[in-house]
Amino acid sequence: MKSPTIQTLIISIFLFTIPTSLASPPTLENVFTQCIIDFKPSNPNSPIQNFTYTPQNPKFLTILNNYVRNLRYFNNTTRKPIAIVAAADVTHIQATITCAKKLSLQLRIRSGGHDYDGLSYLSTVDFVVLDMFNLRSIEFGPKLDTAWVQSGATLGEIYYGVANKSNDLRGFPAGICTGLGAGGHFSGGGYGNMMRKYGLSIDNIIDAKIVDVKGRVLDRSSMGEDLFWALRGGGAASFCVVLAWKIKLVPVPEKVTVFNVETVGNRGGVNTTELVVKWQEIADKIDNSLFIRLTLSTSNKTVKASFMGMFLGDSSRLLEIMNKEFPELGLNKTECIEMKWIESVLFWLSIPPGTAPTSVMLNRIPQKQIYLKRKSDYVQKPISRTGLDAIFKVLLENENVTMAWNPYGGRMSEIPSTETAFPHRAGNMFKIQYAANWFVPGEAVANECLSQTERVFLAMSPYVSKNPREAFLNYRDVDIGISLNSTYEEGKVYGVKYFKNNFERLVSVKSRVDPDNFFRYEQSIPVPSKPLGSRE
């Protein structure tokens, strides 16, 4: 027989010590709130109750919704947390972990809310959201070559701070979406348009401060190299709460050059199929300072290909490279825009040059929320002309879906697949993001967009990685498997797709640092199954 939970005991004690006529069992949220208030040590200058929101608080839904980036998971039927702790001090994190454990509550850790399938703020059981948005300080090293960034800092805040502090001499290789939180983005292997030159965000992280399941504050030295390895690409929410990362800043030139060439049907007499064939030949082999993302969509019953690029250098050198390696695109001087690296961040947000100050990247709350679905794939062999034509036909039949093809090669091929928990390195030509957005509520439109995404995904099966069909953790996708019972067998289904051969090492780290599997969610790293014959 299982022993009663702490929650049950607390309520029982309450009932026995209060006269029957006055007895009213405390709600779970009240018990949790009292627990975190009573927790010691605490910071008297930052009382945790000032940063805790329960459903009775008039700000509760606003705080919850501020970092929901997918409206599919914000409606009247979506299960809400019993509390949101918007931590502003390390003691708030320690209290939340301790009390969630005592009351058998699951914990969801949210830094930016860009978890595509909502796993940082959803659960099927009683849960608490630990929101990190208040913890967003950025502290630079004396030589301006490193910085400590807290998990709640957004990429926009990091980029803006780095550029201003270094007089535009430094940058950081992470994502193009400025609203991403450093906590989740980095730990999942976040990438950006400098990855061919400098690798991923995690390849430029040299230390971390965490709060573990016991409430201890640890750094790289005290946590050990195995856990530090796991945090870089393995998804930190399976192991601990990341308080801050120490990042290594990278040099950027005085000017970078960006371009966005869109073609529908053909360009200069070269049809879209031939342009994509050529892109596949060169995108992962061209100069490491050049990143060219290919986006495929439809326009007026025709496939549209967009070649959006950034070169860490001036336009003259870029044109030399393009004329030699990709003359079919016909890139010309007027399509090349030179700007500071920090200004290029806005370009990748589709903000026309000169129309907004760089400070707009500090905006945390998007102007418009959408409904969305994302999926991912990796391509390791060139897709033939016949294959491309078949793909284009499927896109035309499913017009709500776009595909972004992100080239690998360069530094990505030089770093061993076991260097960090992120395994997708040499051998991958490019990564695919499948995207469907819609803007109105309703089951019918949602089902249609989801069905279209699945049809395109299935049609791509012959052209992508196999055994396993690899997936990118930061493009969270519950379709590839979920853990309902927190078993190793369930976790392995999605785990080998996200982590390949690194999965078993992640399980080993998990079993050492969180043997009771407190840090768990629908796609977390599992602990090993108990050996046959073992006793409970």
Side-chain angles (χ1 to χ4, degrees):
M1 175 182 287
K2 292 186 177 180
S3 60
T5 65
I6 297 295
Q7 173 191 339
T8 304
L9 291 173
I10 291 173
I11 293 174
S12 299
I13 292 169
F14 182 89
L15 290 173
F16 279 117
T17 56
I18 293 181
T20 306
S21 60
L22 301 177
S24 177
T27 63
L28 185 55
E29 58 217 48
N30 289 341
V31 175
F32 173 78
T33 302
Q34 191 60 53
C35 179
I36 60 176
I37 291 173
D38 292 341
F39 177 82
K40 297 292 184 286
S42 60
N43 183 347
N45 297 320
S46 185
I48 194 169
Q49 58 265 36
N50 293 353
F51 301 92
T52 302
Y53 304 86
T54 61
Q56 285 70 42
N57 190 306
K59 294 183 179 179
F60 175 80
L61 286 179
T62 299
I63 295 294
L64 180 61
N65 187 42
N66 276 348
Y67 294 91
V68 169
R69 298 292 175 260
N70 188 349
L71 285 177
R72 290 174 58 204
Y73 304 115
F74 189 76
N75 53 55
N76 292 333
T77 61
T78 304
R79 188 174 192 137
K80 305 298 189 295
I82 68 153
I84 302 168
V85 180
D89 187 80
V90 66
T91 60
H92 299 172
I93 299 173
Q94 294 168 319
T96 303
I97 291 173
T98 299
C99 293
K101 280 197 303 179
K102 281 183 178 179
L103 301 176
S104 300
L105 295 167
Q106 288 198 12
L107 185 66
R108 295 294 179 268
I109 308 161
R110 186 169 72 167
S111 54
H114 282 255
D115 193 318
Y116 285 144
D117 275 349
L119 301 189
S120 63
Y121 49 86
L122 291 178
S123 178
T124 57
V125 298
D126 289 330
F127 71 108
V128 173
V129 169
L130 179 60
D131 232 332
M132 303 293 285
F133 64 85
N134 282 320
L135 294 169
R136 57 191 197 226
S137 70
I138 304 170
E139 299 178 1
F140 294 91
K143 297 181 181 178
L144 299 181
D145 56 352
T146 63
W148 276 101
V149 299
Q150 289 189 312
S151 284
T154 64
L155 297 191
E157 291 165 346
I158 295 169
Y159 296 160
Y160 188 83
V162 168
N164 280 277
K165 193 73 173 179
S166 69
N167 292 318
D168 296 310
L169 297 177
R170 293 286 185 270
F172 188 70
I176 64 171
C177 181
T178 54
L180 290 163
H185 178 69
F186 292 175
S187 76
Y191 77 99
N193 51 27
M194 292 198 289
M195 72 172 173
R196 302 192 64 254
K197 179 72 171 180
Y198 295 117
L200 306 171
S201 55
I202 54 171
D203 301 323
N204 297 276
I205 288 175
I206 54 179
D207 205 344
K209 292 177 183 177
I210 69 166
V211 181
D212 75 353
V213 71
K214 297 178 181 178
R216 299 175 300 180
V217 179
L218 307 173
D219 61 9
R220 178 175 183 172
S221 175
S222 53
M223 78 174 76
E225 285 300 304
D226 257 8
L227 180 52
F228 185 64
W229 172 87
L231 300 183
R232 292 172 295 149
S238 290
F239 305 95
C240 61
V241 177
V242 174
L243 179 61
W245 303 101
K246 187 177 185 180
I247 63 175
K248 180 176 64 178
L249 306 181
V250 301
V252 293
E254 183 180 346
K255 296 288 184 183
V256 303
T257 306
V258 295
F259 61 89
N260 188 20
V261 174
E262 296 185 344
T263 173
V264 179
N266 71 83
R267 176 174 166 89
V270 183
N271 67 35
T272 301
T273 301
E274 293 304 316
L275 288 173
V276 176
V277 166
K278 184 63 177 180
W279 178 89
Q280 289 185 104
E281 291 177 6
I282 60 95
D284 65 326
K285 303 174 188 67
I286 208 164
D287 190 298
N288 291 0
S289 294
L290 178 56
F291 177 90
I292 308 172
R293 168 184 280 181
L294 167 61
T295 302
L296 297 172
S297 58
T298 60
S299 176
N300 298 320
K301 304 299 181 181
T302 307
V303 171
K304 179 171 79 171
S306 300
F307 299 86
M308 190 171 186
M310 184 173 81
F311 176 65
L312 298 172
D314 61 32
S315 58
S316 297
R317 177 59 183 145
L318 170 62
L319 288 170
E320 287 179 18
I321 296 170
M322 292 294 286
N323 289 336
K324 178 184 176 183
E325 304 289 347
F326 198 3
E328 294 84 353
L329 188 62
L331 183 67
N332 61 61
K333 181 78 172 178
T334 60
E335 294 167 320
C336 299
I337 309 170
E338 294 183 350
M339 58 180 61
K340 295 178 181 179
W341 170 76
I342 191 64
E343 294 169 337
S344 76
V345 174
L346 301 190
F347 180 84
W348 284 84
L349 294 174
S350 300
I351 298 175
T355 63
T358 54
S359 59
V360 302
M361 68 182 69
L362 301 177
N363 295 339
R364 287 182 151 253
I365 310 302
Q367 294 181 343
K368 181 168 61 176
Q369 291 176 298
I370 61 174
Y371 302 83
L372 62 87
K373 177 61 185 175
R374 301 289 187 267
K375 299 178 77 68
S376 62
D377 258 324
Y378 285 87
V379 175
Q380 297 165 343
K381 296 179 181 179
I383 302 172
S384 68
R385 289 172 174 82
T386 302
L388 290 173
D389 288 339
I391 292 168
F392 294 170
K393 182 175 183 294
V394 172
L395 280 178
L396 291 170
E397 294 168 350
N398 298 276
E399 294 182 333
N400 287 318
V401 182
T402 64
M403 287 195 288
W405 294 9
N406 297 280
Y408 270 38
R411 183 71 180 130
M412 290 297 293
S413 293
E414 298 168 358
I415 300 172
S417 61
T418 55
E419 182 75 15
T420 65
F422 180 92
H424 313 288
R425 304 286 189 172
N428 290 298
M429 294 173 56
F430 56 94
K431 172 172 58 188
I432 298 176
Q433 182 190 67
Y434 304 85
N437 299 335
W438 59 103
F439 306 94
V440 294
E443 191 172 335
V445 65
N447 288 340
E448 176 58 22
C449 289
L450 293 172
S451 295
Q452 288 192 24
T453 308
E454 189 62 28
R455 287 195 289 269
V456 175
F457 184 74
L458 289 174
M460 290 296 294
S461 300
Y463 314 109
V464 299
S465 61
K466 298 173 180 64
N467 301 316
R469 184 172 183 172
E470 299 172 29
F472 176 39
L473 182 65
N474 274 2
Y475 291 171
R476 185 74 71 181
D477 180 10
V478 295
D479 298 344
I480 70 172
I482 58 172
S483 180
L484 297 175
N485 302 297
S486 300
T487 66
Y488 169 85
E489 290 73 20
E490 289 175 325
K492 188 173 183 179
V493 172
Y494 54 81
V496 295
K497 297 171 186 175
Y498 285 138
F499 307 113
K500 299 176 63 180
N501 293 334
N502 289 340
F503 172 70
E504 294 297 342
R505 183 177 174 187
L506 286 166
V507 172
S508 176
V509 175
K510 169 76 169 180
S511 66
R512 180 176 64 82
V513 303
D514 184 23
D516 295 326
N517 201 19
F518 169 70
F519 290 109
R520 67 186 185 274
Y521 59 95
E522 287 77 3
Q523 284 194 337
S524 57
I525 299 296
V527 293
S529 298
K530 289 182 172 62
L532 290 175
S534 66
R535 295 185 178 182
E536 292 290 331

